[in-house]
Amino acid sequence: KDVSAAELLGKTDVICCDKTGVFTRNKMVLSKIFDGKKLIGVETEPLDETASMVLKLATACSTLENDSTENAIEKACLAYNSMSKQDINNMFPHITEVPFDSERKTMTVITMINERPFAIVKGAPETVIPNCINCKGEEILKLNEDLASDAYRIICIAMRPLSGIPANPTADDMEKDLAFVGLLGLNDPPRDGVIEEIAACDAAGIKTVMITGDNLNTAKSVARRIGILKDGTEAVTGAELNEMTDD
């Protein structure tokens, strides 16, 4: 109804939007757990003890408020393990943490397990797996890419025992020599009507660009599903974008 807004839209050539909550519903749901040996569809298969522990450790390493990924992990733990976040905190007492950092794409929580301090690491598989020892890293990363290509957001969980409680834990000290625990596959479905809205923008000559911090394969799968990524278009990473010139 605003004339100035209508004039601005008429001059628009490109619209750039964040993926979560604009193109998708911002209702992340846990769908898959890989425990190092088998992949489980949590909505159709019961969790065995190993998969259940993967989810418990992931919940223990969830500390952010109002984060869709961590909220989904905590809801899944309540649904499939009958354990709330507080129940998990009682099982694995939280001591301290190394906060999430978008550059390294990981975070670490220091907790007590059987009266011994452990570091639980959660983050992007491509960042965590290279710091794991005695695991089939190439196979796990291949599974990560396969799941990402199906539009899943993949979270990797790993851990290591500590000789003592660190006074000032750092990522360099805590996030190395890790034991692989598992992968979580989360799904955030496209928002109702978004495909038609993108098609209307295309018809009006407006290019739609999706921005996300997801794995490139996850981003490409979502973009293809909603009609943004088509033949003749491409997806680029932030690093590739930084290397580009204005020309």
Side-chain angles (χ1 to χ4, degrees):
K1 307 293 183 179
D2 190 310
V3 174
S4 61
E7 290 175 348
L8 179 61
L9 185 60
K11 298 175 183 178
T12 300
D13 297 315
V14 180
I15 297 176
C16 299
C17 296
D18 183 36
K19 183 202 73 166
T20 304
V22 178
F23 297 117
T24 64
R25 299 177 188 174
N26 194 23
K27 293 183 178 180
M28 200 73 67
V29 176
L30 178 68
S31 299
K32 305 284 186 183
I33 295 179
F34 175 67
D35 64 5
K37 294 183 178 179
K38 59 186 177 299
L39 183 66
I40 296 174
V42 301
E43 294 157 317
T44 57
E45 303 173 64
L47 300 191
D48 61 16
E49 186 175 348
T50 307
S52 176
M53 183 56 68
V54 174
L55 183 52
K56 290 175 184 177
L57 291 171
T59 305
C61 196
S62 297
T63 63
L64 300 177
E65 297 290 335
N66 300 317
D67 180 83
S68 60
T69 299
E70 299 205 346
N71 288 344
I73 292 172
E74 292 173 17
K75 287 179 181 178
C77 193
L78 182 60
Y80 302 117
N81 285 332
S82 298
M83 297 186 72
S84 68
K85 174 62 174 172
Q86 186 58 53
D87 293 331
I88 294 296
N89 288 343
N90 293 338
M91 176 179 282
F92 305 122
H94 181 282
I95 300 172
T96 186
E97 65 186 73
V98 182
F100 177 81
D101 179 85
S102 59
E103 289 293 323
R104 71 179 201 280
K105 298 182 179 180
T106 56
M107 66 170 294
T108 295
V109 162
I110 312 301
T111 186
M112 298 297 292
I113 302 177
N114 296 327
E115 299 183 354
R116 182 176 182 180
F118 274 78
I120 305 174
V121 180
K122 175 163 66 69
E126 58 269 26
T127 301
V128 178
I129 295 299
N131 292 320
C132 291
I133 56 176
N134 300 324
C135 76
K136 298 178 180 179
E138 291 186 5
E139 293 182 15
I140 297 171
L141 287 173
K142 174 63 167 56
L143 175 62
N144 169 55
E145 293 303 318
D146 290 344
L147 290 170
S149 295
D150 285 334
Y152 289 102
R153 175 179 290 180
I154 311 302
I155 305 297
C156 183
I157 309 298
M159 64 190 302
R160 60 172 293 209
L162 303 175
S163 58
I165 298 174
N168 297 294
T170 65
D172 288 341
D173 291 335
M174 297 295 104
E175 298 174 0
K176 64 181 182 180
D177 301 328
L178 302 169
F180 175 77
V181 172
L183 301 178
L184 303 181
L186 300 106
N187 184 37
D188 185 13
R191 182 175 55 76
D192 293 341
V194 71
I195 295 174
E196 293 77 11
E197 292 164 4
I198 291 169
C201 287
D202 284 346
I206 301 173
K207 181 179 181 180
T208 307
V209 177
M210 185 182 79
I211 302 171
T212 178
D214 279 342
N215 173 287
L216 182 61
N217 281 353
T218 303
K220 289 168 69 174
S221 180
V222 173
R224 190 175 291 110
R225 180 182 297 181
I226 61 179
I228 289 179
L229 186 62
K230 302 180 287 290
D231 292 343
T233 61
E234 61 180 333
V236 298
T237 65
E240 290 170 339
L241 188 63
N242 287 337
E243 295 294 321
M244 294 180 180
T245 65
D246 291 340
D247 297 332

